[in-house]
Amino acid sequence: MMKLRPISLLLLGLLVVGMGAVRSAHGQFPGRGDDVTPSLGRFNVVVDPHFEFPIKNNPGYAPYLSNKGGNLNFTSPILFDPTTTIGRSDPLLAGSAEDTAGVLAGNLPPRLLRDDQFTVKPSFAEGPAGTREVHTYIESIHLTGSGFEVRAGSQAPLRPHSVGEVESLSGNSGDPAQDFPANSFFDVFVQVEVPSLGGFPTVELVNVDPLLVQSASITSFPPKVLYIHGNSSAVPMYFNKDVPAFGVHRGDLFGQLTLAGHGVGFRQSDVAEFEAAETEAETTSGRLPLQDNPIMHVTIVDEISDLPTPTPSPTSTPTAKPTAALCVGDCDGQGAVTVDEIITLVNLVLGNAGACANGLPAGVTPDVTWILQAVNHALSGCGS
């Protein structure tokens, strides 16, 4: 453990410098990159009447149940993710060719995001043409607590991409210095895992219609702000796996999501602040009204990765050994990440001389997020 201590010290110092550089003191959107930030979240689902009886009579579910408006509400505990990761594009203009054809966002990996991918938009997303904006997507969310989990992005690779947009409040002023404050939204697809409670099996839920979350005003990347639902009505949640004990099939309706708060930039020590912000948001905007006739069963389609598949070398033969997966930080290609290799990455981020040919993808300029991955590999091994 003593050998790993320098990693922690170097990483802490670099994170402080890196986050300070990303947050814009002059109100201008930064260039394409990845923001890593802690976050807190919680969800509330009104249980479909088909499942009310077994759930409300299970003492294991009792701590998470309440009756609001004559409906059985199932509310998760507050969940935490230390490394929520958001990819963002270079700034562009609303209505431009880049907006229509697509622009690369993030580096882990980069994705081409077009305006027509934002299937559900808040009213502010239809601002005047020429407004400066940034395309964003959720690279990774893994909120956990008390056995509950909420995943999106790379943590739920079979779900659709969760994409979004940040749009300046300055309209089509053409002045980059007025980029902030800005509005922000995401169309989110999640995978929710409810632990085995009171003898019931683990339950996995997904949404097939995007959950729109939005914030009225952000002032930096990454922001510290509460994202709250923006849909016009509740979003149905469906079983993602068969549950034979319930006679449930994949795609059956479990309930309707009526409240979803996600506090980006909130740490575990900020629970009281998060709860206060959530209460204020609920008081202001309320909970989503239930759909009168939600679809009782849907066909859930697993996402097919749109990442490029490596093309085999023309000289390869059927007996050739497959190329090992890249282990970020393993500069010498020996299958492990050492303290010296972490120091090499730090020097590269700081603009100093060094090389890490085997530990970074070709052409990548390392930043804090790559060091985070390398530290994880140093602590847990290249297979982590």
Side-chain angles (χ1 to χ4, degrees):
M1 294 298 291
M2 293 298 292
K3 291 182 179 180
L4 294 177
R5 187 169 296 170
I7 297 177
S8 301
L9 294 175
L10 286 167
L11 180 61
L12 177 61
L14 187 61
L15 283 172
V16 171
V17 173
M19 291 302 184
V22 171
R23 293 182 182 274
S24 174
H26 303 290
Q28 183 171 343
F29 294 149
R32 177 163 68 97
D34 308 283
D35 294 316
V36 182
T37 182
S39 65
L40 295 171
R42 177 160 53 187
F43 64 85
N44 183 87
V45 176
V46 171
V47 179
D48 188 76
H50 289 81
F51 302 109
E52 281 190 9
F53 181 80
I55 287 178
K56 69 182 180 183
N57 286 283
N58 182 339
Y61 274 77
Y64 311 107
L65 299 179
S66 61
N67 189 303
K68 296 183 179 180
N71 298 305
L72 183 65
N73 285 250
F74 178 49
T75 306
S76 76
I78 294 177
L79 312 175
F80 177 65
D81 176 17
T83 54
T84 296
T85 307
I86 307 296
R88 48 182 165 75
S89 72
D90 285 326
L92 66 152
L93 300 180
S96 65
E98 288 177 306
D99 200 17
T100 303
V103 61
L104 286 177
N107 294 312
L108 299 173
R111 293 200 182 276
L112 188 71
L113 301 184
R114 305 182 310 275
D115 192 65
D116 62 6
Q117 290 173 287
F118 311 134
T119 54
V120 180
K121 298 181 181 182
S123 58
F124 68 73
E126 303 299 335
T131 300
R132 283 174 59 85
E133 63 183 31
V134 171
H135 289 185
T136 56
Y137 79 101
I138 296 174
E139 292 176 338
S140 171
I141 287 181
H142 188 192
L143 294 157
T144 62
S146 301
F148 290 77
E149 300 183 47
V150 175
R151 303 170 181 264
S154 62
Q155 297 294 327
L158 298 182
R159 306 309 305 132
H161 302 315
S162 297
V163 297
E165 193 171 87
V166 174
E167 188 169 284
S168 174
L169 290 173
S170 68
N172 54 2
S173 66
D175 183 1
Q178 297 185 48
D179 284 347
F180 290 114
N183 289 313
S184 175
F185 78 91
F186 288 94
D187 288 345
V188 182
F189 293 90
V190 294
Q191 177 180 307
V192 175
E193 295 169 25
V194 179
S196 176
L197 298 171
F200 282 7
T202 300
V203 172
E204 189 174 294
L205 307 171
V206 296
N207 59 310
V208 296
D209 295 322
L211 170 66
L212 173 65
V213 297
Q214 62 188 53
S215 176
S217 179
I218 67 171
T219 58
S220 65
F221 290 126
K224 183 175 183 180
V225 69
L226 179 72
Y227 281 86
I228 196 70
H229 58 75
N231 298 71
S232 58
S233 62
V235 177
M237 298 294 293
Y238 296 92
F239 289 93
N240 196 35
K241 295 180 179 179
D242 293 345
V243 187
F246 290 166
V248 165
H249 300 285
R250 186 186 192 207
D252 286 349
L253 178 70
F254 173 78
Q256 299 186 51
L257 188 70
T258 59
L259 179 70
H262 185 210
V264 176
F266 286 74
R267 302 182 180 277
Q268 280 183 303
S269 57
D270 297 330
V271 167
E273 182 182 353
F274 170 77
E275 287 186 303
E278 198 177 41
T279 299
E280 181 181 355
E282 185 177 351
T283 301
T284 302
S285 59
R287 297 190 174 213
L288 292 170
L290 295 175
Q291 295 184 22
D292 291 332
N293 296 295
I295 298 174
M296 297 302 296
H297 180 87
V298 297
T299 299
I300 297 172
V301 179
D302 290 333
E303 185 78 2
I304 299 175
S305 175
D306 60 359
L307 297 179
T309 301
T311 302
S313 168
T315 59
S316 64
T317 66
T319 58
K321 293 183 178 179
T323 302
L326 174 74
C327 177
V328 172
D330 180 18
C331 299
D332 58 12
Q334 296 300 306
V337 178
T338 65
V339 172
D340 288 342
E341 287 169 321
I342 295 293
I343 292 173
T344 296
L345 286 180
V346 171
N347 281 325
L348 289 171
V349 171
L350 296 176
N352 299 327
C356 190
N358 294 303
L360 290 170
V364 163
T365 301
D367 58 17
V368 174
T369 53
W370 293 101
I371 293 178
L372 283 170
Q373 291 188 64
V375 170
N376 181 49
H377 292 153
L379 294 171
S380 305
C382 283
S384 62

